Amino acid sequence: MTTAAEAILALVDSARGNRPQSLDDREVEEVLNIALALLVELSVSNDRIDRLERIVAAQGGTTIEALRDLRYDGVAADERQQAMEALLARVLRVLIDPRVPTDGRPPRD
């Protein structure tokens, strides 16, 4: 049985010719393509979250608004804050430690 990742890789391997490019800088084009792919993935995730919220609200006898307005405090709030900070550090790591200096100095080892 072929996995979804294997199917995508097979499709990429079967591509012919040069990849169309609309921007002058290939690297900018690649980053844009990655950002657009992430947008699609986020859209799908948001749709799934919405469906789950509706199911939980219906089964729990509450409204979707009440479920979405639920606030955490104490340990749960601290854990969520730590998870958000870790996510931001992972996503923005290239800005935190770009490894390519912008001031003309050689990279750090």
Side-chain angles (χ1 to χ4, degrees):
M1 176 152 88
T2 303
T3 67
E6 290 170 338
I8 292 169
L9 292 174
L11 182 62
V12 170
D13 286 341
S14 69
R16 302 277 188 260
N18 293 331
R19 175 182 296 278
Q21 186 173 329
S22 58
L23 301 175
D24 291 334
D25 188 329
R26 180 187 57 80
E27 291 168 337
V28 171
E29 182 99 18
E30 289 173 352
V31 170
L32 177 61
N33 284 326
I34 291 169
L36 291 174
L38 285 170
L39 179 64
V40 170
E41 294 294 330
L42 181 59
S43 176
V44 170
S45 295
N46 284 341
D47 182 59
R48 289 178 176 170
I49 290 167
D50 180 70
R51 280 187 271 154
L52 289 172
E53 286 174 336
R54 292 175 187 277
I55 291 168
V56 169
Q59 290 182 351
T62 188
T63 65
I64 296 168
E65 292 77 21
L67 186 64
R68 290 178 179 169
D69 287 339
L70 182 63
R71 300 291 179 246
Y72 295 96
D73 58 5
V75 174
D78 291 341
E79 289 173 349
R80 290 173 58 89
Q81 181 64 34
Q82 289 174 12
M84 177 58 72
E85 289 172 4
L87 172 65
L88 288 173
R90 288 190 306 272
V91 170
L92 300 175
R93 70 180 166 72
V94 71
L95 299 177
I96 296 167
D97 181 16
R99 310 241 177 194
V100 177
T102 58
D103 60 2
R105 293 184 298 167
R108 296 179 301 220
D109 289 326

XYZ file of all heavy atoms in Angstrom:
838
model
N 0.842 -1.175 0.000
C 0.000 0.000 0.000
C 0.894 1.247 0.000
O 1.874 1.322 0.723
C -0.903 -0.015 1.235
C -1.722 1.229 1.323
S -3.275 1.070 2.162
C -2.951 1.350 3.831
N 0.551 2.214 -0.811
C 1.310 3.453 -0.923
C 0.786 4.469 0.081
O -0.417 4.689 0.180
C 1.173 4.035 -2.344
O 1.622 3.059 -3.280
C 1.976 5.300 -2.506
N 1.700 5.098 0.821
C 1.292 6.138 1.760
C 1.052 7.448 1.008
O 1.478 7.602 -0.145
C 2.361 6.375 2.841
O 3.519 6.933 2.214
C 2.730 5.092 3.560
N 0.401 8.383 1.671
C 0.153 9.686 1.044
C 1.469 10.379 0.714
O 1.619 10.980 -0.357
C -0.694 10.547 1.969
N 2.441 10.310 1.620
C 3.740 10.943 1.373
C 4.437 10.300 0.183
O 5.032 10.998 -0.655
C 4.617 10.854 2.618
N 4.372 8.979 0.071
C 4.987 8.287 -1.066
C 4.315 8.683 -2.375
O 4.987 8.861 -3.400
C 4.910 6.774 -0.875
C 5.803 6.262 0.222
C 5.544 4.797 0.577
O 4.436 4.290 0.304
O 6.457 4.176 1.149
N 3.004 8.867 -2.356
C 2.280 9.270 -3.558
C 2.695 10.670 -3.997
O 2.893 10.930 -5.195
C 0.774 9.217 -3.308
N 2.844 11.570 -3.032
C 3.271 12.937 -3.360
C 4.683 12.934 -3.937
O 4.964 13.600 -4.934
C 3.174 13.849 -2.120
C 1.699 14.052 -1.748
C 3.866 15.184 -2.363
C 1.478 14.696 -0.406
N 5.584 12.173 -3.308
C 6.957 12.088 -3.807
C 7.006 11.480 -5.207
O 7.793 11.914 -6.053
C 7.831 11.300 -2.835
C 8.080 11.979 -1.492
C 8.828 11.047 -0.554
C 8.828 13.283 -1.674
N 6.162 10.476 -5.478
C 6.103 9.875 -6.812
C 5.623 10.896 -7.835
O 6.135 10.954 -8.958
C 5.190 8.653 -6.800
N 4.647 11.714 -7.459
C 4.151 12.756 -8.351
C 5.248 13.770 -8.657
O 5.440 14.176 -9.806
C 2.946 13.449 -7.714
C 2.276 14.536 -8.531
C 1.714 13.968 -9.827
C 1.183 15.206 -7.722
N 6.004 14.162 -7.626
C 7.104 15.107 -7.822
C 8.159 14.502 -8.739
O 8.675 15.170 -9.647
C 7.718 15.515 -6.457
C 9.010 16.284 -6.643
C 6.714 16.334 -5.649
N 8.483 13.228 -8.526
C 9.494 12.562 -9.357
C 9.067 12.462 -10.819
O 9.908 12.438 -11.719
C 9.785 11.160 -8.820
C 10.616 11.187 -7.555
O 11.268 12.224 -7.283
O 10.614 10.171 -6.825
N 7.757 12.401 -11.076
C 7.279 12.243 -12.445
C 7.142 13.565 -13.188
O 6.857 13.574 -14.383
C 5.925 11.511 -12.449
O 4.924 12.341 -11.895
N 7.363 14.677 -12.511
C 7.224 15.989 -13.141
C 8.270 16.166 -14.242
O 9.394 15.701 -14.126
C 7.360 17.089 -12.093
N 7.881 16.849 -15.278
C 8.767 17.076 -16.422
C 9.010 18.574 -16.593
O 8.156 19.401 -16.298
C 8.135 16.543 -17.711
C 7.792 15.073 -17.666
C 9.026 14.220 -17.987
N 8.682 12.823 -18.124
C 8.857 11.920 -17.170
N 9.348 12.269 -16.029
N 8.545 10.670 -17.376
N 10.165 18.925 -17.100
C 10.471 20.314 -17.416
C 10.796 21.133 -16.177
O 10.893 20.620 -15.066
N 10.980 22.432 -16.412
C 11.310 23.341 -15.323
C 10.051 23.744 -14.571
O 8.981 23.866 -15.162
C 11.981 24.601 -15.872
C 13.344 24.302 -16.451
O 14.016 23.373 -16.007
N 13.747 25.073 -17.457
N 10.217 23.982 -13.292
C 9.104 24.462 -12.476
C 8.827 25.908 -12.886
O 9.740 26.727 -12.968
C 9.464 24.399 -10.999
C 8.410 24.989 -10.079
C 8.849 24.933 -8.632
N 9.010 23.581 -8.157
C 8.009 22.816 -7.735
N 6.796 23.267 -7.717
N 8.250 21.590 -7.306
N 7.562 26.235 -13.135
C 7.237 27.622 -13.478
C 7.628 28.561 -12.336
O 7.475 28.216 -11.164
C 5.722 27.618 -13.662
C 5.324 26.194 -13.765
C 6.388 25.383 -13.123
N 8.143 29.719 -12.682
C 8.569 30.681 -11.674
C 8.085 32.058 -12.105
O 8.318 32.471 -13.230
C 10.089 30.654 -11.547
C 10.623 31.505 -10.438
C 12.121 31.315 -10.250
O 12.660 30.249 -10.490
N 12.776 32.369 -9.811
N 7.415 32.775 -11.193
C 6.898 34.091 -11.544
C 7.686 35.221 -10.888
O 7.561 36.370 -11.295
C 5.422 34.203 -11.149
O 5.264 33.979 -9.772
N 8.492 34.916 -9.886
C 9.291 35.933 -9.213
C 10.742 35.852 -9.677
O 11.197 34.795 -10.119
C 9.211 35.747 -7.697
C 7.802 35.827 -7.093
C 7.839 35.499 -5.617
C 7.196 37.195 -7.330
N 11.470 36.951 -9.551
C 12.861 36.989 -9.998
C 13.782 36.144 -9.126
O 14.772 35.605 -9.603
C 13.376 38.429 -10.023
C 12.712 39.250 -11.112
O 12.261 38.656 -12.112
O 12.642 40.487 -10.953
N 13.466 36.026 -7.858
C 14.323 35.319 -6.908
C 13.741 33.933 -6.614
O 12.635 33.811 -6.084
C 14.425 36.142 -5.620
C 15.447 35.594 -4.645
O 15.658 34.370 -4.619
O 16.019 36.403 -3.892
N 14.483 32.890 -6.963
C 14.012 31.514 -6.779
C 13.725 31.211 -5.310
O 12.736 30.562 -4.983
C 15.053 30.527 -7.315
C 14.640 29.059 -7.159
C 15.765 28.112 -7.556
N 16.996 28.315 -6.817
C 17.226 27.855 -5.581
N 16.302 27.182 -4.951
N 18.375 28.066 -4.990
N 14.589 31.696 -4.429
C 14.401 31.416 -3.008
C 13.141 32.081 -2.466
O 12.420 31.490 -1.668
C 15.638 31.849 -2.216
C 16.839 30.973 -2.521
C 18.136 31.544 -1.977
O 18.215 32.764 -1.761
O 19.067 30.751 -1.771
N 12.856 33.290 -2.911
C 11.622 33.970 -2.497
C 10.417 33.184 -3.009
O 9.425 33.010 -2.305
C 11.602 35.432 -3.000
C 10.245 36.075 -2.776
C 12.703 36.238 -2.341
N 10.506 32.707 -4.211
C 9.432 31.896 -4.796
C 9.201 30.628 -3.973
O 8.061 30.250 -3.703
C 9.792 31.532 -6.242
C 8.746 30.728 -6.966
C 7.875 31.577 -7.869
O 8.265 32.698 -8.200
O 6.808 31.097 -8.243
N 10.277 29.981 -3.566
C 10.145 28.771 -2.753
C 9.491 29.066 -1.409
O 8.616 28.322 -0.960
C 11.518 28.131 -2.542
C 12.074 27.491 -3.796
C 13.506 27.017 -3.633
O 14.137 27.314 -2.607
O 13.995 26.341 -4.554
N 9.909 30.161 -0.766
C 9.310 30.533 0.520
C 7.830 30.843 0.339
O 7.000 30.443 1.163
C 10.066 31.725 1.154
C 9.324 32.279 2.355
C 11.475 31.311 1.550
N 7.485 31.538 -0.731
C 6.083 31.831 -1.008
C 5.289 30.548 -1.198
O 4.181 30.398 -0.677
C 5.955 32.727 -2.246
C 4.533 33.056 -2.679
C 3.785 33.813 -1.586
C 4.551 33.858 -3.972
N 5.850 29.600 -1.950
C 5.165 28.323 -2.168
C 4.973 27.567 -0.861
O 3.925 26.962 -0.635
C 5.939 27.468 -3.176
C 5.755 27.957 -4.590
O 4.696 28.456 -4.955
N 6.786 27.830 -5.396
N 5.970 27.593 0.001
C 5.853 26.935 1.301
C 4.767 27.617 2.131
O 3.926 26.954 2.754
C 7.204 26.931 2.040
C 8.178 25.996 1.320
C 7.033 26.527 3.502
C 9.614 26.119 1.795
N 4.768 28.963 2.135
C 3.759 29.703 2.901
C 2.353 29.388 2.393
O 1.421 29.206 3.188
C 4.033 31.202 2.826
N 2.185 29.292 1.088
C 0.872 28.972 0.527
C 0.453 27.545 0.874
O -0.713 27.289 1.183
C 0.867 29.186 -0.986
C 0.973 30.644 -1.431
C 1.109 30.730 -2.953
C -0.212 31.455 -0.942
N 1.400 26.616 0.852
C 1.089 25.234 1.241
C 0.675 25.177 2.712
O -0.269 24.470 3.079
C 2.287 24.328 0.976
N 1.378 25.940 3.557
C 1.008 25.990 4.978
C -0.383 26.598 5.156
O -1.153 26.163 6.022
C 2.039 26.789 5.772
C 3.350 26.074 6.039
C 4.365 27.050 6.622
C 3.139 24.903 6.971
N -0.727 27.602 4.346
C -2.047 28.202 4.411
C -3.131 27.175 4.091
O -4.155 27.107 4.776
C -2.131 29.383 3.434
C -3.465 30.097 3.361
C -3.805 30.749 4.691
C -3.432 31.131 2.247
N -2.898 26.357 3.089
C -3.855 25.306 2.741
C -3.985 24.312 3.899
O -5.095 23.929 4.286
C -3.441 24.598 1.437
C -4.278 23.349 1.200
C -3.554 25.551 0.262
N -2.850 23.901 4.458
C -2.879 22.956 5.579
C -3.613 23.550 6.779
O -4.400 22.876 7.436
C -1.463 22.551 5.971
C -0.729 21.755 4.919
C -1.340 20.391 4.657
O -1.933 19.795 5.593
O -1.238 19.917 3.515
N -3.371 24.820 7.065
C -4.030 25.487 8.180
C -5.533 25.576 7.938
O -6.332 25.388 8.857
C -3.438 26.884 8.393
C -4.029 27.688 9.542
C -3.852 26.964 10.870
C -3.390 29.057 9.588
N -5.924 25.845 6.714
C -7.337 25.904 6.373
C -8.024 24.562 6.637
O -9.118 24.509 7.212
C -7.505 26.301 4.908
O -8.857 26.277 4.538
N -7.381 23.484 6.237
C -7.924 22.147 6.480
C -8.009 21.876 7.984
O -9.020 21.372 8.483
C -7.071 21.074 5.772
C -7.461 19.674 6.206
C -7.182 21.218 4.264
N -6.958 22.246 8.723
C -6.959 22.046 10.177
C -8.075 22.839 10.840
O -8.767 22.331 11.729
C -5.610 22.454 10.786
O -4.598 21.602 10.322
N -8.257 24.084 10.415
C -9.326 24.907 10.987
C -10.698 24.310 10.712
O -11.585 24.348 11.567
C -9.250 26.341 10.466
C -8.142 27.129 11.114
O -7.646 26.770 12.174
N -7.751 28.211 10.474
N -10.881 23.744 9.532
C -12.143 23.090 9.209
C -12.379 21.895 10.135
O -13.480 21.709 10.656
C -12.145 22.642 7.751
C -13.452 21.990 7.356
O -14.505 22.652 7.472
O -13.430 20.808 6.946
N -11.345 21.104 10.355
C -11.473 19.942 11.246
C -11.750 20.382 12.681
O -12.570 19.778 13.377
C -10.207 19.096 11.190
C -10.052 18.366 9.882
C -8.773 17.576 9.840
N -8.703 16.812 8.616
C -7.615 16.181 8.211
N -6.510 16.222 8.935
N -7.623 15.513 7.083
N -11.079 21.419 13.139
C -11.307 21.930 14.493
C -12.753 22.396 14.630
O -13.415 22.113 15.629
C -10.309 23.063 14.823
C -8.906 22.486 14.977
C -10.737 23.812 16.089
C -7.806 23.542 15.005
N -13.245 23.115 13.636
C -14.623 23.594 13.670
C -15.605 22.427 13.787
O -16.539 22.461 14.588
C -14.923 24.431 12.429
C -16.348 24.939 12.430
O -16.658 25.830 13.261
O -17.164 24.452 11.614
N -15.379 21.393 12.977
C -16.266 20.222 13.049
C -16.211 19.569 14.420
O -17.246 19.207 14.983
C -15.900 19.209 11.958
C -16.472 19.603 10.610
C -16.250 18.523 9.590
N -14.944 18.787 8.967
C -14.184 17.876 8.424
N -14.538 16.624 8.411
N -13.034 18.204 7.887
N -15.012 19.417 14.981
C -14.881 18.815 16.307
C -15.549 19.671 17.379
O -16.207 19.142 18.284
C -13.408 18.588 16.645
C -12.721 17.480 15.859
C -11.216 17.485 16.135
C -13.310 16.127 16.214
N -15.389 20.984 17.285
C -16.042 21.873 18.252
C -17.553 21.713 18.196
O -18.222 21.680 19.241
C -15.671 23.333 17.987
C -14.269 23.696 18.386
C -13.880 25.101 17.977
O -14.476 25.653 17.024
O -12.968 25.648 18.618
N -18.094 21.608 17.006
C -19.540 21.453 16.860
C -20.015 20.124 17.447
O -21.055 20.063 18.104
C -19.952 21.593 15.395
C -19.753 22.999 14.867
C -20.039 23.121 13.370
N -19.675 24.429 12.904
C -20.443 25.513 13.002
N -21.624 25.419 13.580
N -20.037 26.672 12.556
N -19.256 19.066 17.247
C -19.618 17.757 17.801
C -19.544 17.788 19.325
O -20.465 17.342 20.010
C -18.706 16.648 17.217
C -19.010 16.435 15.740
C -18.865 15.346 18.001
C -17.990 15.573 15.016
N -18.445 18.327 19.868
C -18.276 18.401 21.324
C -19.372 19.254 21.950
O -19.944 18.899 22.978
C -16.871 18.933 21.693
C -16.778 19.274 23.161
C -15.807 17.917 21.299
N -19.685 20.398 21.330
C -20.729 21.272 21.862
C -22.079 20.562 21.868
O -22.814 20.622 22.862
C -20.805 22.567 21.049
N -22.394 19.886 20.780
C -23.678 19.183 20.689
C -23.766 18.058 21.718
O -24.787 17.895 22.398
C -23.884 18.642 19.280
N -22.690 17.287 21.852
C -22.703 16.170 22.793
C -22.617 16.631 24.237
O -23.102 15.955 25.135
C -21.577 15.190 22.478
C -21.807 14.436 21.189
C -20.705 13.433 20.890
O -19.678 13.385 21.548
N -20.926 12.623 19.863
N -22.016 17.795 24.462
C -21.866 18.310 25.819
C -23.010 19.194 26.254
O -23.023 19.706 27.376
N -23.961 19.436 25.356
C -25.111 20.254 25.702
C -24.768 21.721 25.911
O -25.385 22.396 26.723
N -23.791 22.220 25.183
C -23.402 23.620 25.293
C -23.392 24.241 23.905
O -23.667 23.568 22.911
C -22.024 23.758 25.973
O -21.745 25.134 26.227
C -20.918 23.154 25.136
N -23.092 25.504 23.836
C -23.019 26.172 22.538
C -21.571 26.199 22.046
O -20.633 26.074 22.842
C -23.518 27.627 22.623
O -22.638 28.372 23.461
C -24.939 27.683 23.171
N -21.419 26.387 20.764
C -20.075 26.499 20.191
C -19.375 27.727 20.753
O -18.183 27.679 21.074
C -20.140 26.582 18.654
C -20.719 25.282 18.095
C -18.791 26.868 18.040
C -21.087 25.350 16.641
N -20.117 28.811 20.918
C -19.531 30.044 21.456
C -18.987 29.822 22.865
O -17.892 30.282 23.190
C -20.564 31.174 21.454
C -20.947 31.644 20.067
C -21.911 30.700 19.338
O -22.607 29.884 20.001
O -21.954 30.770 18.098
N -19.754 29.113 23.707
C -19.298 28.843 25.069
C -18.038 27.980 25.053
O -17.101 28.201 25.825
C -20.400 28.159 25.875
N -18.010 27.025 24.154
C -16.835 26.161 24.037
C -15.618 26.960 23.581
O -14.521 26.818 24.125
C -17.126 25.028 23.049
C -16.089 23.945 22.892
C -15.921 23.182 24.202
C -16.470 22.993 21.782
N -15.805 27.847 22.610
C -14.700 28.657 22.090
C -14.246 29.713 23.087
O -13.101 30.152 23.040
C -15.090 29.302 20.770
C -15.203 28.293 19.644
C -15.632 28.912 18.345
N -15.691 27.897 17.294
C -16.234 28.094 16.117
N -16.760 29.270 15.810
N -16.251 27.124 15.217
N -15.134 30.149 23.973
C -14.789 31.172 24.962
C -14.178 30.597 26.230
O -13.827 31.341 27.139
C -16.031 32.002 25.334
C -16.441 32.947 24.219
O -15.582 33.255 23.356
O -17.607 33.381 24.205
N -14.046 29.293 26.300
C -13.475 28.643 27.476
C -12.058 29.151 27.721
O -11.223 29.179 26.817
C -13.451 27.123 27.259
C -12.936 26.258 28.388
C -13.834 26.406 29.620
C -12.886 24.805 27.967
N -11.788 29.599 28.922
C -10.470 30.117 29.288
C -9.825 29.193 30.312
O -10.502 28.631 31.160
C -10.585 31.533 29.880
C -11.194 32.545 28.933
C -10.257 32.840 27.761
N -10.845 33.788 26.840
C -11.186 33.496 25.592
N -10.989 32.304 25.104
N -11.715 34.423 24.812
N -8.532 29.098 30.232
C -7.783 28.264 31.154
C -7.082 29.133 32.179
O -6.734 30.274 31.907
C -6.740 27.437 30.396
C -7.346 26.439 29.445
C -7.508 26.747 28.098
C -7.763 25.196 29.893
C -8.074 25.844 27.227
C -8.329 24.273 29.025
C -8.472 24.607 27.704
O -9.032 23.706 26.836
N -6.837 28.554 33.339
C -6.024 29.236 34.340
C -5.137 28.207 35.019
O -5.219 27.017 34.738
C -6.890 29.998 35.354
C -7.875 29.091 36.083
O -7.839 27.863 35.883
O -8.688 29.628 36.868
N -4.248 28.677 35.849
C -3.369 27.778 36.594
C -2.416 27.006 35.705
O -1.837 27.544 34.759
N -2.275 25.729 36.000
C -1.323 24.857 35.303
C -1.649 24.760 33.813
O -0.754 24.836 32.966
C -1.299 23.452 35.949
C -0.435 22.500 35.140
C -0.804 23.531 37.386
N -2.926 24.625 33.479
C -3.309 24.503 32.068
C -2.918 25.754 31.295
O -2.406 25.663 30.172
C -4.804 24.242 31.939
N -3.142 26.920 31.867
C -2.774 28.167 31.197
C -1.264 28.256 31.018
O -0.779 28.673 29.958
C -3.291 29.363 31.995
N -0.518 27.857 32.046
C 0.950 27.877 31.951
C 1.447 26.923 30.869
O 2.339 27.261 30.090
C 1.582 27.504 33.298
C 1.365 28.567 34.360
O 1.052 29.725 34.000
O 1.513 28.228 35.549
N 0.872 25.724 30.805
C 1.277 24.747 29.793
C 0.967 25.256 28.389
O 1.779 25.102 27.474
C 0.580 23.412 30.038
C 1.090 22.682 31.254
C 0.275 21.444 31.590
O -0.829 21.252 31.007
O 0.737 20.666 32.440
N -0.200 25.878 28.215
C -0.558 26.418 26.899
C 0.388 27.552 26.510
O 0.792 27.661 25.358
C -2.011 26.879 26.895
C -2.997 25.711 26.968
C -4.437 26.174 27.123
N -4.874 27.038 26.056
C -5.434 26.629 24.922
N -5.611 25.353 24.701
N -5.812 27.499 24.013
N 0.749 28.409 27.472
C 1.676 29.508 27.206
C 3.053 28.968 26.806
O 3.670 29.449 25.853
C 1.798 30.426 28.422
C 2.717 31.612 28.211
C 2.226 32.575 27.146
O 1.024 32.765 26.980
N 3.143 33.170 26.411
N 3.527 27.964 27.508
C 4.824 27.363 27.185
C 4.797 26.716 25.798
O 5.765 26.826 25.034
C 5.214 26.340 28.240
C 5.582 26.961 29.566
C 5.826 25.910 30.648
O 5.941 24.727 30.368
N 5.895 26.366 31.888
N 3.687 26.063 25.472
C 3.558 25.444 24.152
C 3.560 26.502 23.052
O 4.191 26.320 22.006
C 2.288 24.601 24.082
N 2.888 27.634 23.294
C 2.859 28.711 22.305
C 4.250 29.314 22.128
O 4.694 29.566 21.003
C 1.868 29.797 22.726
C 1.839 30.991 21.795
S 1.429 30.595 20.080
C -0.295 30.220 20.249
N 4.962 29.524 23.214
C 6.313 30.082 23.127
C 7.251 29.135 22.382
O 8.078 29.567 21.580
C 6.837 30.391 24.518
C 6.136 31.577 25.161
C 6.498 31.778 26.621
O 7.368 31.033 27.153
O 5.904 32.676 27.246
N 7.112 27.827 22.619
C 7.942 26.847 21.925
C 7.625 26.834 20.432
O 8.523 26.757 19.590
C 7.747 25.456 22.532
N 6.342 26.928 20.102
C 5.935 26.976 18.698
C 6.526 28.202 18.010
O 7.101 28.095 16.915
C 4.408 26.993 18.589
C 3.835 27.231 17.194
C 4.190 26.095 16.252
C 2.343 27.436 17.264
N 6.411 29.354 18.641
C 6.970 30.574 18.056
C 8.486 30.466 17.883
O 9.020 30.909 16.862
C 6.619 31.785 18.918
C 5.153 32.211 18.869
C 4.888 33.296 19.895
C 4.769 32.659 17.479
N 9.162 29.870 18.852
C 10.617 29.703 18.743
C 10.974 28.800 17.570
O 11.931 29.062 16.837
C 11.180 29.143 20.045
N 10.181 27.729 17.356
C 10.457 26.828 16.231
C 10.189 27.507 14.899
O 10.984 27.418 13.967
C 9.609 25.550 16.346
C 10.038 24.610 17.436
C 9.329 23.266 17.352
N 7.883 23.343 17.310
C 7.084 23.368 18.373
N 7.600 23.347 19.594
N 5.776 23.403 18.228
N 9.071 28.208 14.810
C 8.685 28.840 13.546
C 9.606 30.000 13.199
O 9.994 30.173 12.038
C 7.213 29.314 13.612
C 6.866 30.184 12.423
C 6.274 28.117 13.688
N 9.976 30.779 14.203
C 10.787 31.967 13.959
C 12.269 31.742 14.212
O 13.034 32.690 14.288
C 10.271 33.122 14.830
C 8.818 33.518 14.583
C 8.390 34.582 15.568
C 8.609 33.973 13.151
N 12.698 30.495 14.300
C 14.085 30.197 14.640
C 15.073 30.818 13.675
O 16.149 31.240 14.062
C 14.325 28.701 14.750
C 14.265 27.961 13.456
C 14.503 26.466 13.639
N 14.128 25.735 12.473
C 14.783 25.721 11.328
N 15.881 26.419 11.200
N 14.358 25.026 10.306
N 14.713 30.920 12.416
C 15.626 31.511 11.437
C 15.845 32.995 11.720
O 16.900 33.540 11.417
C 15.129 31.271 9.991
C 13.902 32.097 9.689
C 16.234 31.549 8.996
N 14.873 33.645 12.334
C 15.038 35.053 12.706
C 15.782 35.194 14.024
O 16.482 36.170 14.248
C 13.671 35.734 12.818
C 12.839 35.747 11.540
C 11.492 36.386 11.806
C 13.568 36.457 10.421
N 15.627 34.202 14.891
C 16.296 34.222 16.187
C 17.779 33.903 16.022
O 18.638 34.518 16.628
C 15.623 33.223 17.153
C 14.185 33.662 17.435
C 16.408 33.098 18.448
C 13.349 32.595 18.117
N 18.099 32.917 15.186
C 19.480 32.507 14.939
C 19.636 32.222 13.452
O 19.605 31.075 13.022
C 19.815 31.262 15.758
C 21.250 30.801 15.549
O 22.065 31.581 15.027
O 21.555 29.661 15.915
N 19.747 33.264 12.638
C 19.755 33.064 11.191
C 20.990 32.349 10.652
O 20.981 31.903 9.529
C 19.660 34.485 10.635
C 20.221 35.342 11.704
C 19.909 34.651 13.003
N 22.066 32.260 11.441
C 23.305 31.603 11.023
C 23.987 32.298 9.858
O 25.058 31.915 9.465
C 23.089 30.136 10.695
C 22.357 29.399 11.741
C 23.147 28.328 12.298
N 22.336 27.734 13.368
C 22.805 26.944 14.243
N 24.050 26.606 14.203
N 22.046 26.468 15.192
N 23.350 33.271 9.263
C 23.953 34.083 8.223
C 23.909 35.512 8.733
O 22.847 36.104 8.828
C 23.196 33.967 6.881
C 23.814 34.875 5.838
C 23.183 32.538 6.409
N 25.055 36.063 9.104
C 25.045 37.400 9.683
C 24.576 38.447 8.681
O 24.811 38.327 7.483
C 26.495 37.635 10.083
C 27.288 36.685 9.259
C 26.382 35.515 8.961
N 23.892 39.440 9.203
C 23.429 40.529 8.343
C 24.309 41.763 8.467
O 24.066 42.753 7.813
C 21.977 40.905 8.689
O 21.937 41.265 10.073
C 21.042 39.752 8.432
N 25.335 41.687 9.312
C 26.186 42.845 9.549
C 27.570 42.716 8.903
O 28.476 43.469 9.211
C 26.342 43.103 11.046
C 26.967 41.922 11.777
O 27.318 40.924 11.106
O 27.079 41.991 13.004
N 27.750 41.725 8.028
C 29.020 41.569 7.330
C 30.034 40.721 8.058
O 31.079 40.406 7.512
N 29.763 40.337 9.323
C 30.695 39.494 10.058
C 30.560 38.050 9.612
O 29.508 37.640 9.135
C 30.418 39.589 11.562
C 30.734 40.960 12.117
C 30.534 40.992 13.614
N 29.123 40.720 13.891
C 28.658 40.437 15.093
N 29.462 40.362 16.125
N 27.375 40.223 15.280
N 31.616 37.241 9.789
C 31.516 35.823 9.420
C 30.533 35.098 10.344
O 30.314 35.526 11.481
C 32.932 35.300 9.605
C 33.669 36.331 10.366
C 32.928 37.614 10.255
N 29.919 34.003 9.872
C 28.975 33.246 10.703
C 29.641 32.697 11.950
O 30.827 32.392 11.960
C 28.508 32.104 9.793
C 28.970 32.447 8.424
C 30.078 33.430 8.552
N 28.818 32.541 13.010
C 29.320 31.921 14.249
C 29.394 30.423 14.064
O 28.638 29.830 13.329
C 28.347 32.208 15.400
C 28.234 33.658 15.737
C 27.251 33.820 16.843
N 25.948 33.293 16.434
C 24.793 33.851 16.713
N 24.747 34.930 17.417
N 23.676 33.332 16.309
N 30.315 29.805 14.769
C 30.431 28.341 14.725
C 29.816 27.725 15.943
O 29.668 28.215 16.961
C 31.892 27.908 14.609
C 32.434 28.230 13.220
O 31.661 28.154 12.257
O 33.618 28.554 13.131
